[in-house]
Structures are given as structure tokens and as C-alpha cells.
Amino acid sequence: FVENCKYILLDHLSMVIRGSDVKDERKEIDVVMTELAAFCAANDVGIIVVVHLNRQGSAVNTPKGKEDEPFWASISLNHLRGSGGLEQLSWNVLSLEREYLPNKKRGRVRWTILKNREFSDLGIADVFSLNDVDWSVQLYDDETTEVANTVPTAPKQTVVLDDDELS
């Protein structure tokens, strides 16, 4: 891989599994996660793995009696689609949780820390939204609607590597 690379983004794990001949998806996820953990240890690199939610985690049920109020779709480790190896072999597990609004417009998003092996802090890390005009990130102090800070987006950059740089 590229020299001085600190992180690799694998989006998403199911695409790696899909090409194999293994009939047991859970077992294959365990094998892949074990190999990824060994790769990280051997190469001093972090891998960010995107996984989808199982059907239980994907189901959105409006809280009874609160149909006219915004609500958050809370995610737990049990909602990860696949194997227990996702939780067991990961150092950190983060989720993006969506806010559902009664008017069906786009709500805010919150980062939630579901697992944190190094520091043990769990819970909501940030609440944010994207500005529809310039795509800047608007950070909120907490789950209130008060904007605390706006982070401008960086200009898009494309890095093209030729074959000599990859070897």
C-alpha cells in the first residue's frame, strides 16, 4: 500500500465477502475481520470498515404518542449486520444515527461511539448537519437545535497515482 498511509477505508465489508465461495457469511466475516486485524498489527495502519445494519437496526419505528415530534434512530452493537467478530475484533465502533423529522425533511445526524477499546468513553460524540447550499458542516452543542460552529468544507482534491507510485 501507499507509504505513510495511516488509514484505509473499506466501503463496505459485504463487497469483500460477496465474491467468495463460502456459504456461511458469518464465518466469512470472522475470517476477514481476523485477517484485517492482523494486517493492521503488522503494518501500523488503521482500517475503517463500513458495515450495514441488520433488519432490526434498519427498522424505524416512530415512538408511540410522539408522531409529531422529531426522534433519533438509536443504533447498538446488536444492529451490526453479520457476525459477532465485527464487535469483538474492532478497536472502535462508531455509528451514524439519523434524526427523523415529522415533516419528512432531512434531520441532523449524530456520531455515537458504541465501542472504544482504548479510552472506554461511549455515547454521543457530535451532532451535526450539512448546509444544503454550500455543504459546510454545522456542529451543534448537544441535541438542541442551537448551532455551535460551522466548519467549511475543504475543496475537493483528487489524487492520481501512477503504477510506479503503487509499487
Side-chain angles (χ1 to χ4, degrees):
F1 58 96
V2 178
E3 186 176 331
N4 295 322
C5 176
K6 300 286 183 206
Y7 297 98
I8 297 170
L9 177 63
L10 176 59
D11 183 10
H12 61 85
L13 184 61
S14 296
M15 298 300 283
V16 174
I17 309 295
R18 193 167 285 144
S20 71
D21 292 332
V22 175
K23 302 279 187 268
D24 186 351
E25 182 184 40
R26 291 175 191 267
K27 184 174 183 172
E28 185 68 13
I29 289 172
D30 284 343
V31 169
V32 169
M33 289 300 294
T34 301
E35 290 175 359
L36 290 174
F39 180 83
C40 288
N43 294 288
D44 193 31
V45 66
I47 299 179
I48 301 166
V49 179
V50 176
V51 296
H52 291 271
L53 303 177
N54 60 26
R55 286 193 172 120
Q56 178 188 5
S58 298
V60 177
N61 298 314
T62 304
K64 200 167 196 114
K66 300 192 177 200
E67 291 81 6
D68 295 332
E69 298 177 27
F71 69 95
W72 293 94
S74 296
I75 297 171
S76 73
L77 290 170
N78 296 331
H79 295 140
L80 301 179
R81 182 174 167 218
S83 159
L86 293 169
E87 176 185 349
Q88 295 163 358
L89 293 167
S90 299
W91 276 74
N92 301 297
V93 178
L94 305 171
S95 70
L96 287 172
E97 299 177 337
R98 177 178 168 191
E99 179 184 34
Y100 287 87
L101 301 177
N103 62 8
K104 307 293 185 211
K105 289 189 176 182
R106 183 187 318 181
R108 295 167 297 162
V109 176
R110 65 183 179 191
W111 271 112
T112 304
I113 303 169
L114 302 178
K115 180 179 179 179
N116 183 348
R117 190 176 288 182
E118 190 172 7
F119 300 109
S120 301
D121 296 328
L122 302 175
I124 298 168
D126 273 316
V127 177
F128 64 94
S129 65
L130 295 177
N131 182 307
D132 289 334
V133 176
D134 64 4
W135 291 92
S136 59
V137 176
Q138 296 174 319
L139 298 175
Y140 295 82
D141 280 330
D142 51 27
E143 291 186 45
T144 67
T145 57
E146 297 296 319
V147 176
N149 192 8
T150 299
V151 180
T153 55
K156 293 183 179 181
Q157 297 178 349
T158 304
V159 177
V160 179
L161 301 174
D162 61 28
D163 291 338
D164 295 338
E165 293 174 299
L166 294 175
S167 53

